[in-house]
Amino acid sequence: MMNTLLEVSGVSVSFDGFKAINNLSFQIGEGELRAVIGPNGAGKTTFMDIVTGKTRPDEGRVIFGEKSVNLLKMSEAKIAQAGVGRKFQRPTVFEDQTVFANLIMALKKDRSPLKVLFYRQDSDDKSKVEALAEQIGLTESLYRTSGELSHGQKQWLEIGMLLAQEPRLLLVDEPAAGMTLAEREHTTDILKEAAKTRAVVVVEHDMEFVRRLECKVTVLHEGSVLAEGSLDHVTANQDVIDVYLGR
């Protein structure tokens, strides 16, 4: 059995009377790759907002790691330090800096003022950046300015910047949006490789992209879990067809 890394239990949150998350409960295992799908308004983004501390739920628990840390009592910064990384839909990289500079800035380091002030790049840091660049497919672009990259390459760079922080859980929001077919295929490879050493949760609309991930799928509807299992299993579920696929 896979050890549980993230446990969401009985979580609900309302905005102006609208229940965005309704008694949501599910678990993510250590080193698990999971896809989360569902119609617009199903609660996918709100779920990520709750886990990362951006939104506080009205009730429920969000427990992380073997020490059962309560994420709901932590700030966004503390949650990130605890090992939860999030990639938003639009890539946010430092466009006037090189790929190398973006990755070196993202490396997990002591960020105290003195350490930052006297930081000097060493060979170990350079090796880590080169390994990350190879993992995300940007070795040949390492010294290019990030603003010159394609949309897909910027997405890969942002994933690389998150991996540089060594998260135990990586939340990725619609990584395939706006990508070419070749870029989407490479992105699935990056995420599957990343999931060998950490948990990765991917929110996505593109069913072919989800199929390539070859992982367990959670379907959200009206803020709670509607179905869970393989992609073939959930897409054969009549409730899923009615509320999502049949649209």
Side-chain angles (χ1 to χ4, degrees), residues 18 46 54-55 73 81 86 90 95 102 117 121 124 127 136-137 168 186 190 193 213 224 239 241:
F18 170 71
T46 307
K54 191 174 181 183
T55 295
K73 293 186 176 180
Q81 289 168 10
R86 179 177 181 181
R90 292 175 62 86
E95 298 212 350
N102 271 271
L117 186 63
Q121 177 190 315
D124 187 44
S127 297
I136 58 177
R168 296 183 63 194
H186 181 58
I190 292 172
E193 184 64 28
L213 290 174
S224 57
D239 290 335
I241 293 167

Side-chain angles (χ1 to χ4, degrees), residues 78-98:
K78 290 292 185 185
I79 290 170
Q81 289 168 10
V84 179
R86 179 177 181 181
K87 189 207 166 307
F88 291 87
Q89 194 172 340
R90 292 175 62 86
T92 49
V93 301
F94 298 103
E95 298 212 350
D96 57 342
Q97 300 289 328
T98 63

